[in-house]
Amino acid sequence: MMEENLGITPPLDSVTPEQLYEDLINTVRSYHPSADISMIEKAYIIAKDAHKEQLRKSGEPYIIHPLCVGIILAKLELDKETIVAGILHDVVEDTVLTTEQIGKEFSDEIALLVDGVTKLTQLNYSKDKVEIQAENLRKMFLAMAKDIRVILIKLADRLHNMRTLQFMSPQKQKEKARETMDIYAPIAQRLGISKIKIELDDLSLKYLEPEVYEELTEKITSKISDIEAFINNIVDEVRNHIEVATIEATVNGRVKHYFSIYKKMVNQNKTLDQIYDLFAVRIIVDSVKDCYAALGVIHEMYKPIPGRFKDYIAMPKPNMYQSLHTTLIGPMGQPFEIQIRTFDMHRTAEYGIAAHWKYKENQDGKNAHDKEEAKLTWLRQILEWQRDMSDNKEFLSLLKSDFDLFSESVYCFTPTGDVKNLPNGSTPIDFAYSIHSAVGNKMVGARVNGKLVTIDYKIQNGDRIDIVTSQNSKGPSRDWLSLVKSTQAKNKINQWFKTELKEDNILRGKELMMSYCKNKNIVLSDLLKPEYMNKAMTKYGFRDWDSVYAAIGHGGLKEGQIVNKLVESYEKKHKKAITDEKLLEAISEVKENKPATVAKSKGGIVVEGIHDVAVRFSKCCSPVPGDEIIGFVTRGRGVSIHRTDCINVINLPEEDRARLIEAEWSQPSERAQSELYTAELKIYAHNRSGVLLDISRTFTENAIDVTSMNVRTNKQGTATISIGFEVRGVEQLKVLVAKLRNIESVIDIERTTG
């Protein structure tokens, strides 16, 4: 019997709200037959009315989305309150209903859940994208700490949005898929909800690596009948042997999901044809004793591959996952994996935290909450980081590192036999900090399996580690940061340097900034004004200027980054190159053939008649040496240089034509040989496979750096490829264009002219 790859089946596109609501109620009653569904019905009526004027990008009624979220939550067998909050999760943000009204209509508990999910979507758009993402994640983890059901609703919301991502723009698809793969899928994995995690992974891969996804789909589909026949054969053999051993068991098989196969290809640097274990057989039994008994039967039947046995029952994963994994050689020499677990373990593997954080009803009808806090140590760890860190970008970097999808774990033991789970490649330093900050900060050595080892020793599975500490230790070394693998250890070492050596770091940061400014002939006192300092602190996420100095002092920030930001703010306020009146006066003098002077800019431009004028290249037409050019006196920003065929110059209003001024390129001998100029081409081509690769290869072969690329394809199959790059002049550009025209499928090429 083949097991369905994706545990939660997406609803059909043509389904009506009424059909979805009926599906939701049937799902709730399937696991909670006696449930009073009046509260769910009330939520549906209110949400349908609140969203009645709204449509999704797909054109369907908006109520479809919250109902699908409710169905996903119901298929995780969650309580009525969570399902109601799922149905109402968008009403506060998108309609006139308030959290207070939801509290009155339902309960404070449901209002809290809806409010928690709503806050996760309210972003501050005044900050850059990294800041937005980090701030939003901080809110998310705080909301999770108050009530884990908030993130379960958010995951269901994200899952349905990913299922309907085809209606978004390509850029949005990539953004949402990247965020899902970096953040939401790892959260689902940490919570142990494989039913959601697997589908999020596959959908993210579909939009991030469409060619890889399509190739995997095609190749696996072409092999599916052979794979199914092989799995069915193995399942029948295993079931017969298990029955002979009088072990009660359910045996089934499944093809591994696409992202799992892709991860193997990346980790092992192999093609799909080189990945043999594309499927797994699962044996589910009644007790732990039966798990090991079944393992014995299996190892008698098939030859196990050495080093490929993992006992997650004795040493569970941090997300509570338990199972025995063993890889075996099949009858035809084909490797395959078998997983053995109990029914309880299987439920935990499928539903994760949702199987434990159940809000069951007591005899008196009140909600009681299973305390599973010990199983969410990673969440508490993240909350600790939030308290310790003022820098949003550093927080996000640590978080993504901790969520790394491609990392593996090693299991080791304390002297008392407690199990520690660390990233692959961890050292005794990681182990010390996993016990306590004080142990890591006072560490002077380590023993592994009774023998002294160096601190850069790579921990192996099953190692027993004893940390040697000393009160005379001066604390961690900066070199440790390059040795440790765990995010926890890196964070705690950085915190030690920030707190213990803060005064020293502040002084060192000041010295580094002063030295930098001295070398660059910058007057630092002009820059250290509150208005400039505040902009720098906002950009880098600091609360006070001493923290900026300290960050520079301990190496978390480069002094040049801060000084450049201060200079940028200073110049914006003090830029007084020349007034409009004086510029126009100078231009008229030149045009009347009065004595004139020549100003040269470092960009290789000669402007007649004006001293000390800022000259910049216009982005609309991107002139390069050899082009016919003309200058335009802007209001307050000096002279902008355009090509004479630039649309903006050709269509210039009559009253502004007086601002045009003659300009020319300086002689090649006077220009720096290494000077590069930005140019942009639009290439029109038939959208065949490999055309982008051929175009990129042409740039590489001509040693031209591409700075930007944008591709659009119309319904007729014509691709418009806009490419920005750097050249030395128009001659090099002509050679490049000639070679690009020779590429098969290229229809036409033009330069941007505004």
Side-chain angles (χ1 to χ4, degrees), residues 385-410:
W385 298 348
Q386 298 214 101
R387 286 192 297 273
D388 292 342
M389 287 185 193
S390 59
D391 185 347
N392 276 334
K393 291 181 181 178
E394 187 182 356
F395 169 70
L396 188 61
S397 172
L398 278 175
L399 188 65
K400 286 187 177 178
S401 169
D402 192 59
F403 276 167
D404 183 8
L405 294 178
F406 294 94
S407 67
E408 296 292 336
S409 297
V410 292

Side-chain angles (χ1 to χ4, degrees), residues 216 256-272 274-280 308 310 325 327 335-337 405-406 408:
L216 280 175
K256 292 186 176 178
H257 62 287
Y258 297 131
F259 183 75
S260 173
I261 296 168
Y262 172 66
K263 192 165 76 166
K264 278 181 180 287
M265 290 165 63
V266 171
N267 283 341
Q268 299 172 18
N269 194 23
K270 290 181 177 178
T271 64
L272 180 64
Q274 294 170 309
I275 301 288
Y276 295 108
D277 50 339
L278 296 175
F279 46 84
R308 296 296 300 273
K310 292 175 183 174
H325 288 198
T327 305
F336 68 97
E337 185 181 70
L405 294 178
F406 294 94
E408 296 292 336

Side-chain angles (χ1 to χ4, degrees), residues 6 15 31 56 153 175 235 317 452 457 509:
L6 299 182
V15 79
Y31 67 90
R56 300 195 82 210
I153 298 167
E175 280 179 16
V235 166
K317 289 185 178 183
L452 279 171
Y457 168 83

Side-chain angles (χ1 to χ4, degrees), residues 311-312 314-318 408-435 446-449 453 457-467 486 488:
D311 188 344
Y312 293 119
M315 291 184 287
K317 289 185 178 183
E408 296 292 336
S409 297
V410 292
Y411 293 89
C412 49
F413 299 93
T414 67
T416 57
D418 291 334
V419 179
K420 290 288 176 185
N421 175 31
L422 296 169
N424 195 22
S426 289
T427 65
I429 306 170
D430 294 279
F431 181 86
Y433 280 104
S434 75
I435 296 170
R447 288 188 182 89
V448 175
N449 304 324
V453 295
Y457 168 83
K458 297 287 186 293
I459 295 172
Q460 305 298 310
N461 273 320
D463 280 347
R464 181 177 171 277
I465 302 169
D466 189 4
I467 300 298
S486 66
Q488 183 183 24

Side-chain angles (χ1 to χ4, degrees), residues 229-270:
F230 183 84
I231 293 177
N232 289 335
N233 185 42
I234 294 286
V235 166
D236 289 342
E237 282 186 10
V238 169
R239 189 181 290 119
N240 291 336
H241 279 74
I242 293 288
E243 284 175 3
V244 169
T246 65
I247 300 170
E248 289 287 329
T250 299
V251 184
N252 53 45
R254 64 185 175 90
V255 178
K256 292 186 176 178
H257 62 287
Y258 297 131
F259 183 75
S260 173
I261 296 168
Y262 172 66
K263 192 165 76 166
K264 278 181 180 287
M265 290 165 63
V266 171
N267 283 341
Q268 299 172 18
N269 194 23
K270 290 181 177 178

Side-chain angles (χ1 to χ4, degrees), residues 458-652:
K458 297 287 186 293
I459 295 172
Q460 305 298 310
N461 273 320
D463 280 347
R464 181 177 171 277
I465 302 169
D466 189 4
I467 300 298
V468 181
T469 60
S470 169
Q471 291 305 310
N472 297 323
S473 165
K474 293 180 180 178
S477 157
R478 288 189 188 278
D479 296 335
W480 288 11
L481 287 168
S482 61
L483 296 177
V484 295
K485 286 289 180 185
S486 66
T487 308
Q488 183 183 24
K490 284 179 185 174
N491 181 45
K492 288 182 175 178
I493 293 168
N494 276 322
Q495 288 308 314
W496 188 88
F497 282 113
K498 286 178 183 177
T499 53
E500 296 293 318
L501 303 175
K502 188 166 184 183
E503 291 303 317
D504 292 343
N505 285 331
I506 290 171
L507 291 173
R508 178 171 165 74
K510 281 183 181 177
E511 288 170 6
L512 286 169
M513 270 188 70
M514 289 170 67
S515 173
Y516 182 88
C517 290
K518 188 176 179 182
N519 290 336
K520 300 282 183 182
N521 293 320
I522 296 169
V523 182
L524 184 58
S525 57
D526 289 346
L527 305 179
L528 295 180
K529 300 287 190 291
E531 56 189 305
Y532 313 138
M533 292 159 72
N534 286 337
K535 285 181 180 175
M537 284 190 288
T538 301
K539 177 174 172 111
Y540 292 103
F542 291 100
R543 295 190 181 96
D544 57 71
W545 198 245
D546 275 352
S547 296
V548 176
Y549 281 140
I552 295 170
H554 76 72
L557 197 64
K558 292 290 184 188
E559 57 273 18
Q561 291 174 274
I562 292 295
V563 173
N564 290 340
K565 183 62 186 172
L566 292 171
V567 168
E568 181 189 318
S569 302
Y570 177 86
E571 286 183 346
K572 274 184 183 175
K573 186 169 182 182
H574 292 83
K575 202 167 186 180
K576 298 176 181 175
I578 194 163
T579 65
D580 265 10
E581 292 76 13
K582 287 182 179 177
L583 273 173
L584 292 170
E585 187 181 326
I587 293 168
S588 61
E589 283 181 8
V590 173
K591 290 180 178 176
E592 290 169 17
N593 293 320
K594 291 183 179 177
T597 56
V598 172
K600 289 183 184 177
S601 82
K602 62 182 180 181
I605 298 289
V606 176
V607 180
E608 300 213 354
I610 310 163
H611 273 309
D612 301 325
V613 64
V615 174
R616 60 190 181 84
F617 296 106
S618 67
K619 291 181 181 177
C620 57
C621 58
S622 303
V624 300
D627 287 328
E628 284 189 23
I629 53 174
I630 193 165
F632 178 76
V633 181
T634 64
R635 289 174 171 80
R637 289 179 294 146
V639 174
S640 66
I641 303 299
H642 295 255
R643 297 197 336 246
T644 53
D645 62 347
C646 176
I647 289 172
N648 291 330
V649 171
I650 293 169
N651 296 331
L652 204 61

Side-chain angles (χ1 to χ4, degrees), residues 1 3 235 238-239 242-243 247-253 281-286 290 294 338-343 346:
M1 173 184 161
E3 185 184 272
V235 166
V238 169
R239 189 181 290 119
I242 293 288
E243 284 175 3
I247 300 170
E248 289 287 329
T250 299
V251 184
N252 53 45
V281 174
R282 188 172 288 152
I283 302 170
I284 307 175
V285 295
D286 290 326
D290 287 344
I338 284 189
Q339 299 167 359
I340 307 169
R341 60 179 70 149
T342 67
F343 286 97
H346 181 62

